[in-house]
Amino acid sequence: MPTSTPNSPHISGRWRRVGSAAAATAALVLAGFGTAVQANAATTATTAAHKVSTKAIAAQVAKAHVQYTKACGATPKKGYAACNALRVTGGTTAFMEKQAALKGVAPKTIKPNAAQDDPTGYGPSDIQSAYGLTDAASSNGSGETVAIVDAYDDPNAEADLATYRDYYGLSSCTTDNGCFKKVSQTGSTTSLPSADSGWAGEISLDLDMVSATCPNCNILLVEAKSASDANLGTAVNEAVKLGAKFVSNSYGGSESSSDTTYDSSYYKHPGVAITASAGDSGYGAEYPAASKYVTAVGGTKLSTSSNSRGWTESVWNTSSTEGTGSGCSAYDAKPSWQTDTGCSKRMIADVSAVADPATGVSVYDTYGSDGTGWNTYGGTSASSPLIASVYALAGTPGSSDYPAQYPYNAAGTSALNDVTSGSNGTCSTSYFCTAKSGYDGPTGWGTPEGLGAFTAS
């Protein structure tokens, strides 16, 4: 897969518009978005001076729309993967629209390659609130390590992570205090791969999503020397070798007859929760999400709501070629715990979480042509590390377990938010691409509501 130089754009891309209709709630009016002390103080001050109705906020948030570009370039060649990260390059996010409504001002607009002084997407408190994780994020995760597997090096990874965590009031996570470690696919801390701007944005997204979801977790970043399936798989093995019980893979490529061999060589790790992004190209299966040994993670649009949860979700879909992936694998066998009847082989996805760039997450990245500081990202590259971190909050898996089974044990219970609306394309078997009550391809069994669906007990 071709790489990019730090100082030149890695993808020309085309402008994309994403509509996002989000209903705001009275309960969230005073909460604002993000957990930084300074952000909360500012929100409190402005809402005290400016009274605004729930209806007015909802109307403003409904105007959210963004343009975005693929972080890691064009479709990869056979035997290689691309990251599933989408960087917002223009427009106004749901976060920005709500903040503007709260303050009674016109919303700001993201401009291509322009530095943003403050976050423009969802922060830790939003993610924890949306998925019932606030208490667990505060008290769980100490001693657990979430590994992030990506290609190439992000030279600014640790420094950017520090800025993100400091802004949101999270504890320090550094090499010196033992919380953060960066290695190559061979485990070296000094002989690292070449740097790449697009993958650096992916790395920042992954690190920030672990921090947002499981602030007490340690983070291991394993950098493959290229985006080949073999090198990325080798990096997964290294992550497990170094003791990680939770491994996120925010990348994917086309399926091939080699996938079953890759399964046994790289992804078959009992006792380890391995997650993989379902993809960002709409309906269709990709690997390694198709591996029967991983938790395949789909993507949703996450919006505020007046319901008791305070949030609502639907299938993330922008067009026939832009949205969460899903589908029936052409090669991988169906795991014993997956019982849908329309697909005789492995079905994608298992669970899901936020991925729509218009309702995207805040990321801090300063490396290369994309490294403008605060950015908003979407894609199933956001949902995969988020779900890996939920597994970490739930505790170490059973030593012989394949944790992809855990959500199936909780299927249909209050431990999962069933996503029942939206579609990611056209398919001959409806649930392969269309949300419904219970299991469906785009969102699996749904999104987390606490930890109950991510533990063996």
Short mmCIF file of all heavy atoms in Angstrom, two decimals, residues 9-76:
data_model
loop_
_atom_site.label_atom_id
_atom_site.label_comp_id
_atom_site.label_asym_id
_atom_site.label_seq_id
_atom_site.Cartn_x
_atom_site.Cartn_y
_atom_site.Cartn_z
N PRO A 9 -0.28 16.10 1.26
CA PRO A 9 -1.57 15.44 1.48
C PRO A 9 -1.51 13.99 1.01
O PRO A 9 -0.97 13.70 -0.06
CB PRO A 9 -2.54 16.25 0.62
CG PRO A 9 -1.87 17.58 0.44
CD PRO A 9 -0.40 17.29 0.41
N HIS A 10 -2.07 13.06 1.80
CA HIS A 10 -2.02 11.65 1.45
C HIS A 10 -3.23 11.21 0.67
O HIS A 10 -3.30 10.08 0.22
CB HIS A 10 -1.90 10.81 2.72
CG HIS A 10 -3.03 11.02 3.66
ND1 HIS A 10 -3.04 12.05 4.56
CD2 HIS A 10 -4.21 10.37 3.80
CE1 HIS A 10 -4.17 12.01 5.24
NE2 HIS A 10 -4.89 11.02 4.80
N ILE A 11 -4.20 12.11 0.50
CA ILE A 11 -5.37 11.77 -0.30
C ILE A 11 -6.01 13.06 -0.78
O ILE A 11 -6.15 14.02 -0.03
CB ILE A 11 -6.38 10.92 0.49
CG1 ILE A 11 -7.60 10.59 -0.39
CG2 ILE A 11 -6.85 11.62 1.74
CD1 ILE A 11 -8.52 9.59 0.24
N SER A 12 -6.30 13.09 -2.04
CA SER A 12 -6.97 14.30 -2.53
C SER A 12 -8.42 14.30 -2.09
O SER A 12 -8.95 15.31 -1.67
CB SER A 12 -6.88 14.36 -4.06
OG SER A 12 -7.46 13.22 -4.64
N GLY A 13 -9.05 13.13 -2.22
CA GLY A 13 -10.40 12.97 -1.68
C GLY A 13 -11.42 13.84 -2.40
O GLY A 13 -11.10 14.69 -3.21
N ARG A 14 -12.68 13.60 -2.11
CA ARG A 14 -13.73 14.48 -2.61
C ARG A 14 -14.55 14.92 -1.42
O ARG A 14 -14.63 14.24 -0.42
CB ARG A 14 -14.61 13.75 -3.63
CG ARG A 14 -15.33 12.52 -3.11
CD ARG A 14 -16.08 11.84 -4.25
NE ARG A 14 -16.72 10.61 -3.81
CZ ARG A 14 -17.93 10.56 -3.27
NH1 ARG A 14 -18.61 11.66 -3.07
NH2 ARG A 14 -18.45 9.41 -2.91
N TRP A 15 -15.16 16.07 -1.52
CA TRP A 15 -15.97 16.56 -0.42
C TRP A 15 -17.18 15.67 -0.23
O TRP A 15 -17.80 15.22 -1.17
CB TRP A 15 -16.43 17.98 -0.71
CG TRP A 15 -15.31 18.95 -0.68
CD1 TRP A 15 -14.72 19.55 -1.76
CD2 TRP A 15 -14.62 19.41 0.46
NE1 TRP A 15 -13.70 20.35 -1.34
CE2 TRP A 15 -13.62 20.29 0.01
CE3 TRP A 15 -14.73 19.16 1.84
CZ2 TRP A 15 -12.75 20.92 0.87
CZ3 TRP A 15 -13.86 19.80 2.70
CH2 TRP A 15 -12.89 20.67 2.21
N ARG A 16 -17.51 15.43 1.02
CA ARG A 16 -18.67 14.63 1.33
C ARG A 16 -19.52 15.36 2.33
O ARG A 16 -19.01 15.96 3.27
CB ARG A 16 -18.26 13.28 1.90
CG ARG A 16 -17.36 12.47 0.97
CD ARG A 16 -16.98 11.19 1.66
NE ARG A 16 -16.25 10.32 0.75
CZ ARG A 16 -14.99 10.01 0.88
NH1 ARG A 16 -14.31 10.49 1.88
NH2 ARG A 16 -14.40 9.21 0.03
N ARG A 17 -20.81 15.26 2.17
CA ARG A 17 -21.72 15.89 3.11
C ARG A 17 -22.45 14.80 3.86
O ARG A 17 -22.93 13.84 3.29
CB ARG A 17 -22.73 16.78 2.39
CG ARG A 17 -22.08 17.96 1.69
CD ARG A 17 -23.12 18.87 1.08
NE ARG A 17 -23.93 19.53 2.09
CZ ARG A 17 -23.59 20.67 2.70
NH1 ARG A 17 -22.44 21.23 2.41
NH2 ARG A 17 -24.39 21.22 3.58
N VAL A 18 -22.53 14.98 5.16
CA VAL A 18 -23.21 14.00 5.99
C VAL A 18 -24.28 14.70 6.78
O VAL A 18 -24.01 15.63 7.53
CB VAL A 18 -22.22 13.32 6.97
CG1 VAL A 18 -22.96 12.31 7.82
CG2 VAL A 18 -21.10 12.65 6.21
N GLY A 19 -25.50 14.30 6.62
CA GLY A 19 -26.59 14.88 7.39
C GLY A 19 -26.69 14.24 8.74
O GLY A 19 -26.49 13.05 8.89
N SER A 20 -27.01 15.01 9.76
CA SER A 20 -27.18 14.46 11.10
C SER A 20 -28.31 15.18 11.80
O SER A 20 -28.19 16.35 12.12
CB SER A 20 -25.88 14.61 11.90
OG SER A 20 -26.10 14.26 13.25
N ALA A 21 -29.39 14.48 12.03
CA ALA A 21 -30.51 15.06 12.78
C ALA A 21 -30.44 14.55 14.20
O ALA A 21 -30.49 13.38 14.45
CB ALA A 21 -31.83 14.63 12.14
N ALA A 22 -30.27 15.45 15.16
CA ALA A 22 -30.12 15.04 16.55
C ALA A 22 -31.06 15.82 17.41
O ALA A 22 -31.12 17.03 17.36
CB ALA A 22 -28.68 15.28 17.00
N ALA A 23 -31.83 15.13 18.22
CA ALA A 23 -32.76 15.78 19.13
C ALA A 23 -32.09 16.01 20.46
O ALA A 23 -31.58 15.10 21.07
CB ALA A 23 -33.99 14.88 19.31
N ALA A 24 -32.08 17.23 20.94
CA ALA A 24 -31.45 17.55 22.22
C ALA A 24 -32.45 17.35 23.34
O ALA A 24 -33.64 17.34 23.14
CB ALA A 24 -30.97 19.01 22.20
N THR A 25 -31.96 17.20 24.55
CA THR A 25 -32.82 16.94 25.69
C THR A 25 -32.60 17.97 26.77
O THR A 25 -31.53 18.55 26.90
CB THR A 25 -32.53 15.56 26.29
OG1 THR A 25 -31.26 15.63 26.91
CG2 THR A 25 -32.50 14.48 25.25
N ALA A 26 -33.66 18.17 27.57
CA ALA A 26 -33.55 19.11 28.69
C ALA A 26 -32.52 18.63 29.68
O ALA A 26 -31.81 19.43 30.29
CB ALA A 26 -34.91 19.25 29.37
N ALA A 27 -32.41 17.31 29.83
CA ALA A 27 -31.45 16.76 30.79
C ALA A 27 -30.03 17.06 30.40
O ALA A 27 -29.14 17.14 31.24
CB ALA A 27 -31.64 15.25 30.92
N LEU A 28 -29.78 17.21 29.09
CA LEU A 28 -28.42 17.43 28.61
C LEU A 28 -28.10 18.89 28.38
O LEU A 28 -26.98 19.23 28.07
CB LEU A 28 -28.20 16.65 27.32
CG LEU A 28 -28.19 15.12 27.47
CD1 LEU A 28 -28.15 14.47 26.10
CD2 LEU A 28 -27.00 14.68 28.29
N VAL A 29 -29.09 19.75 28.49
CA VAL A 29 -28.87 21.17 28.18
C VAL A 29 -27.76 21.76 29.03
O VAL A 29 -26.91 22.49 28.56
CB VAL A 29 -30.17 21.97 28.36
CG1 VAL A 29 -29.89 23.45 28.31
CG2 VAL A 29 -31.17 21.61 27.28
N LEU A 30 -27.78 21.44 30.31
CA LEU A 30 -26.79 22.01 31.21
C LEU A 30 -25.52 21.19 31.30
O LEU A 30 -24.54 21.62 31.88
CB LEU A 30 -27.39 22.17 32.61
CG LEU A 30 -28.57 23.14 32.68
CD1 LEU A 30 -29.12 23.20 34.10
CD2 LEU A 30 -28.15 24.53 32.24
N ALA A 31 -25.55 19.97 30.69
CA ALA A 31 -24.38 19.10 30.82
C ALA A 31 -23.27 19.50 29.88
O ALA A 31 -22.10 19.36 30.20
CB ALA A 31 -24.78 17.64 30.57
N GLY A 32 -23.61 19.96 28.69
CA GLY A 32 -22.59 20.31 27.71
C GLY A 32 -21.92 19.06 27.20
O GLY A 32 -22.33 17.95 27.45
N PHE A 33 -20.82 19.22 26.47
CA PHE A 33 -20.07 18.10 25.94
C PHE A 33 -18.63 18.22 26.42
O PHE A 33 -18.05 19.28 26.47
CB PHE A 33 -20.08 18.11 24.41
CG PHE A 33 -21.40 17.70 23.83
CD1 PHE A 33 -22.36 18.64 23.49
CD2 PHE A 33 -21.68 16.36 23.63
CE1 PHE A 33 -23.56 18.26 22.95
CE2 PHE A 33 -22.88 15.97 23.07
CZ PHE A 33 -23.82 16.91 22.73
N GLY A 34 -18.01 17.07 26.76
CA GLY A 34 -16.62 17.05 27.19
C GLY A 34 -16.52 17.14 28.70
O GLY A 34 -17.44 17.51 29.39
N THR A 35 -15.34 16.74 29.21
CA THR A 35 -15.16 16.68 30.64
C THR A 35 -14.14 17.66 31.19
O THR A 35 -13.87 17.69 32.37
CB THR A 35 -14.73 15.27 31.04
OG1 THR A 35 -13.55 14.93 30.31
CG2 THR A 35 -15.82 14.25 30.76
N ALA A 36 -13.52 18.43 30.34
CA ALA A 36 -12.52 19.37 30.84
C ALA A 36 -13.16 20.39 31.77
O ALA A 36 -14.25 20.87 31.53
CB ALA A 36 -11.85 20.10 29.67
N VAL A 37 -12.44 20.70 32.83
CA VAL A 37 -12.96 21.66 33.80
C VAL A 37 -13.25 22.99 33.13
O VAL A 37 -14.30 23.60 33.34
CB VAL A 37 -11.95 21.85 34.94
CG1 VAL A 37 -12.39 22.97 35.86
CG2 VAL A 37 -11.80 20.55 35.72
N GLN A 38 -12.32 23.44 32.29
CA GLN A 38 -12.51 24.74 31.67
C GLN A 38 -13.70 24.72 30.72
O GLN A 38 -14.43 25.71 30.61
CB GLN A 38 -11.24 25.19 30.92
CG GLN A 38 -10.82 24.28 29.77
CD GLN A 38 -9.84 23.22 30.21
OE1 GLN A 38 -9.97 22.66 31.28
NE2 GLN A 38 -8.84 22.96 29.37
N ALA A 39 -13.93 23.61 30.02
CA ALA A 39 -15.06 23.53 29.10
C ALA A 39 -16.38 23.55 29.85
O ALA A 39 -17.33 24.23 29.46
CB ALA A 39 -14.96 22.25 28.26
N ASN A 40 -16.46 22.82 30.94
CA ASN A 40 -17.69 22.79 31.73
C ASN A 40 -17.99 24.15 32.34
O ASN A 40 -19.13 24.59 32.41
CB ASN A 40 -17.59 21.73 32.82
CG ASN A 40 -17.84 20.33 32.28
OD1 ASN A 40 -18.30 20.17 31.16
ND2 ASN A 40 -17.52 19.32 33.07
N ALA A 41 -16.95 24.81 32.82
CA ALA A 41 -17.14 26.12 33.43
C ALA A 41 -17.69 27.12 32.42
O ALA A 41 -18.58 27.90 32.70
CB ALA A 41 -15.82 26.62 34.01
N ALA A 42 -17.13 27.04 31.20
CA ALA A 42 -17.59 27.96 30.16
C ALA A 42 -19.04 27.69 29.79
O ALA A 42 -19.84 28.61 29.59
CB ALA A 42 -16.70 27.82 28.91
N THR A 43 -19.39 26.39 29.68
CA THR A 43 -20.76 26.04 29.33
C THR A 43 -21.74 26.51 30.39
O THR A 43 -22.80 27.04 30.10
CB THR A 43 -20.88 24.52 29.13
OG1 THR A 43 -20.01 24.12 28.08
CG2 THR A 43 -22.30 24.11 28.78
N THR A 44 -21.37 26.30 31.65
CA THR A 44 -22.24 26.71 32.75
C THR A 44 -22.48 28.21 32.72
O THR A 44 -23.60 28.69 32.88
CB THR A 44 -21.63 26.31 34.10
OG1 THR A 44 -21.46 24.90 34.11
CG2 THR A 44 -22.53 26.72 35.24
N ALA A 45 -21.41 28.96 32.47
CA ALA A 45 -21.53 30.42 32.46
C ALA A 45 -22.43 30.89 31.33
O ALA A 45 -23.28 31.77 31.51
CB ALA A 45 -20.14 31.04 32.32
N THR A 46 -22.24 30.29 30.14
CA THR A 46 -23.03 30.76 29.01
C THR A 46 -24.49 30.36 29.13
O THR A 46 -25.37 31.11 28.74
CB THR A 46 -22.45 30.22 27.70
OG1 THR A 46 -22.35 28.79 27.79
CG2 THR A 46 -21.08 30.79 27.42
N THR A 47 -24.76 29.14 29.65
CA THR A 47 -26.16 28.75 29.78
C THR A 47 -26.87 29.56 30.84
O THR A 47 -28.08 29.77 30.75
CB THR A 47 -26.27 27.25 30.10
OG1 THR A 47 -25.46 26.95 31.24
CG2 THR A 47 -25.84 26.40 28.93
N ALA A 48 -26.13 30.02 31.84
CA ALA A 48 -26.75 30.85 32.87
C ALA A 48 -27.19 32.19 32.27
O ALA A 48 -28.21 32.76 32.66
CB ALA A 48 -25.77 31.09 34.01
N ALA A 49 -26.40 32.67 31.30
CA ALA A 49 -26.71 33.97 30.71
C ALA A 49 -27.69 33.85 29.53
O ALA A 49 -28.36 34.80 29.18
CB ALA A 49 -25.42 34.63 30.24
N HIS A 50 -27.75 32.68 28.95
CA HIS A 50 -28.55 32.52 27.74
C HIS A 50 -29.51 31.34 27.93
O HIS A 50 -29.10 30.20 27.98
CB HIS A 50 -27.62 32.26 26.55
CG HIS A 50 -28.36 31.92 25.29
ND1 HIS A 50 -29.08 32.84 24.58
CD2 HIS A 50 -28.49 30.75 24.62
CE1 HIS A 50 -29.62 32.27 23.52
NE2 HIS A 50 -29.27 30.98 23.53
N LYS A 51 -30.77 31.61 28.05
CA LYS A 51 -31.77 30.57 28.18
C LYS A 51 -32.22 30.14 26.79
O LYS A 51 -32.55 30.97 25.95
CB LYS A 51 -32.97 31.08 28.98
CG LYS A 51 -32.63 31.52 30.41
CD LYS A 51 -32.13 30.36 31.25
CE LYS A 51 -31.85 30.81 32.68
NZ LYS A 51 -31.35 29.70 33.51
N VAL A 52 -32.26 28.84 26.58
CA VAL A 52 -32.64 28.33 25.27
C VAL A 52 -33.50 27.09 25.46
O VAL A 52 -33.24 26.27 26.33
CB VAL A 52 -31.38 28.02 24.42
CG1 VAL A 52 -30.49 27.01 25.11
CG2 VAL A 52 -31.76 27.55 23.03
N SER A 53 -34.53 26.97 24.64
CA SER A 53 -35.45 25.85 24.79
C SER A 53 -34.87 24.58 24.19
O SER A 53 -34.01 24.61 23.30
CB SER A 53 -36.77 26.17 24.10
OG SER A 53 -36.61 26.18 22.69
N THR A 54 -35.36 23.45 24.68
CA THR A 54 -34.96 22.17 24.13
C THR A 54 -35.28 22.08 22.65
O THR A 54 -34.49 21.57 21.85
CB THR A 54 -35.68 21.03 24.88
OG1 THR A 54 -35.37 21.10 26.27
CG2 THR A 54 -35.26 19.67 24.35
N LYS A 55 -36.42 22.62 22.27
CA LYS A 55 -36.83 22.60 20.87
C LYS A 55 -35.85 23.38 20.00
O LYS A 55 -35.49 22.96 18.90
CB LYS A 55 -38.23 23.18 20.73
CG LYS A 55 -38.78 23.13 19.31
CD LYS A 55 -40.22 23.65 19.26
CE LYS A 55 -40.76 23.59 17.84
NZ LYS A 55 -42.15 24.10 17.78
N ALA A 56 -35.39 24.53 20.51
CA ALA A 56 -34.45 25.35 19.75
C ALA A 56 -33.12 24.64 19.59
O ALA A 56 -32.49 24.69 18.52
CB ALA A 56 -34.27 26.69 20.44
N ILE A 57 -32.68 23.96 20.64
CA ILE A 57 -31.42 23.22 20.56
C ILE A 57 -31.53 22.10 19.54
O ILE A 57 -30.65 21.90 18.71
CB ILE A 57 -31.02 22.66 21.94
CG1 ILE A 57 -30.69 23.80 22.89
CG2 ILE A 57 -29.83 21.72 21.81
CD1 ILE A 57 -30.43 23.36 24.31
N ALA A 58 -32.66 21.36 19.60
CA ALA A 58 -32.86 20.26 18.67
C ALA A 58 -32.85 20.75 17.22
O ALA A 58 -32.26 20.12 16.34
CB ALA A 58 -34.18 19.55 18.97
N ALA A 59 -33.48 21.88 16.99
CA ALA A 59 -33.52 22.43 15.64
C ALA A 59 -32.13 22.82 15.15
O ALA A 59 -31.79 22.63 13.98
CB ALA A 59 -34.44 23.65 15.61
N GLN A 60 -31.32 23.35 16.07
CA GLN A 60 -29.96 23.74 15.70
C GLN A 60 -29.10 22.51 15.42
O GLN A 60 -28.39 22.45 14.40
CB GLN A 60 -29.32 24.56 16.82
CG GLN A 60 -28.00 25.21 16.44
CD GLN A 60 -28.16 26.32 15.44
OE1 GLN A 60 -29.17 27.01 15.41
NE2 GLN A 60 -27.17 26.48 14.58
N VAL A 61 -29.19 21.51 16.29
CA VAL A 61 -28.37 20.32 16.13
C VAL A 61 -28.72 19.57 14.84
O VAL A 61 -27.86 18.97 14.21
CB VAL A 61 -28.52 19.39 17.36
CG1 VAL A 61 -27.84 18.05 17.14
CG2 VAL A 61 -27.93 20.06 18.60
N ALA A 62 -29.99 19.64 14.46
CA ALA A 62 -30.43 18.95 13.24
C ALA A 62 -29.74 19.50 11.99
O ALA A 62 -29.76 18.86 10.94
CB ALA A 62 -31.94 19.07 13.10
N LYS A 63 -29.14 20.67 12.09
CA LYS A 63 -28.48 21.27 10.93
C LYS A 63 -27.06 20.73 10.72
O LYS A 63 -26.41 21.07 9.73
CB LYS A 63 -28.41 22.78 11.10
CG LYS A 63 -29.77 23.46 11.19
CD LYS A 63 -29.61 24.96 11.46
CE LYS A 63 -30.96 25.64 11.60
NZ LYS A 63 -30.81 27.08 11.90
N ALA A 64 -26.59 19.92 11.66
CA ALA A 64 -25.21 19.43 11.58
C ALA A 64 -24.94 18.71 10.26
O ALA A 64 -25.72 17.88 9.82
CB ALA A 64 -24.92 18.50 12.75
N HIS A 65 -23.85 19.05 9.62
CA HIS A 65 -23.41 18.35 8.42
C HIS A 65 -21.91 18.57 8.28
O HIS A 65 -21.39 19.60 8.68
CB HIS A 65 -24.13 18.85 7.17
CG HIS A 65 -23.83 20.27 6.84
ND1 HIS A 65 -24.50 21.34 7.41
CD2 HIS A 65 -22.90 20.83 6.00
CE1 HIS A 65 -24.01 22.49 6.93
NE2 HIS A 65 -23.04 22.19 6.07
N VAL A 66 -21.22 17.57 7.75
CA VAL A 66 -19.78 17.67 7.63
C VAL A 66 -19.30 17.14 6.29
O VAL A 66 -20.01 16.41 5.60
CB VAL A 66 -19.06 16.90 8.76
CG1 VAL A 66 -19.43 17.43 10.13
CG2 VAL A 66 -19.34 15.40 8.68
N GLN A 67 -18.09 17.53 5.95
CA GLN A 67 -17.34 16.91 4.87
C GLN A 67 -16.18 16.16 5.52
O GLN A 67 -15.66 16.59 6.54
CB GLN A 67 -16.82 17.95 3.89
CG GLN A 67 -17.91 18.78 3.20
CD GLN A 67 -18.31 19.99 4.00
OE1 GLN A 67 -17.48 20.69 4.56
NE2 GLN A 67 -19.61 20.25 4.08
N TYR A 68 -15.79 15.05 4.90
CA TYR A 68 -14.70 14.29 5.50
C TYR A 68 -13.90 13.56 4.43
O TYR A 68 -14.31 13.47 3.27
CB TYR A 68 -15.23 13.29 6.53
CG TYR A 68 -16.26 12.31 6.02
CD1 TYR A 68 -15.88 11.11 5.41
CD2 TYR A 68 -17.62 12.56 6.14
CE1 TYR A 68 -16.81 10.20 4.95
CE2 TYR A 68 -18.56 11.66 5.69
CZ TYR A 68 -18.15 10.48 5.10
OH TYR A 68 -19.09 9.58 4.64
N THR A 69 -12.76 13.03 4.82
CA THR A 69 -11.89 12.32 3.90
C THR A 69 -11.31 11.09 4.57
O THR A 69 -11.19 11.04 5.80
CB THR A 69 -10.75 13.23 3.40
OG1 THR A 69 -10.03 12.59 2.36
CG2 THR A 69 -9.79 13.57 4.52
N LYS A 70 -10.97 10.10 3.80
CA LYS A 70 -10.34 8.90 4.35
C LYS A 70 -8.94 9.25 4.86
O LYS A 70 -8.17 9.91 4.17
CB LYS A 70 -10.22 7.82 3.27
CG LYS A 70 -11.55 7.24 2.82
CD LYS A 70 -11.33 6.15 1.77
CE LYS A 70 -12.64 5.54 1.32
NZ LYS A 70 -12.43 4.48 0.30
N ALA A 71 -8.64 8.79 6.05
CA ALA A 71 -7.34 9.11 6.62
C ALA A 71 -6.20 8.35 5.95
O ALA A 71 -5.09 8.87 5.86
CB ALA A 71 -7.34 8.81 8.12
N CYS A 72 -6.46 7.14 5.48
CA CYS A 72 -5.37 6.29 4.99
C CYS A 72 -5.41 6.01 3.50
O CYS A 72 -4.88 5.01 3.03
CB CYS A 72 -5.36 4.97 5.76
SG CYS A 72 -5.01 5.18 7.51
N GLY A 73 -6.04 6.87 2.75
CA GLY A 73 -5.92 6.79 1.31
C GLY A 73 -6.89 5.85 0.63
O GLY A 73 -7.93 5.47 1.17
N ALA A 74 -6.52 5.43 -0.56
CA ALA A 74 -7.40 4.68 -1.44
C ALA A 74 -7.56 3.23 -1.00
O ALA A 74 -6.90 2.75 -0.07
CB ALA A 74 -6.86 4.74 -2.86
N THR A 75 -8.42 2.51 -1.71
CA THR A 75 -8.64 1.10 -1.44
C THR A 75 -7.33 0.34 -1.53
O THR A 75 -6.60 0.47 -2.52
CB THR A 75 -9.65 0.52 -2.45
OG1 THR A 75 -10.86 1.25 -2.38
CG2 THR A 75 -9.92 -0.95 -2.16
N PRO A 76 -7.00 -0.46 -0.53
CA PRO A 76 -5.71 -1.16 -0.54
C PRO A 76 -5.67 -2.30 -1.55
O PRO A 76 -6.71 -2.86 -1.92
CB PRO A 76 -5.61 -1.69 0.89
CG PRO A 76 -7.03 -1.89 1.33
CD PRO A 76 -7.78 -0.75 0.69
#
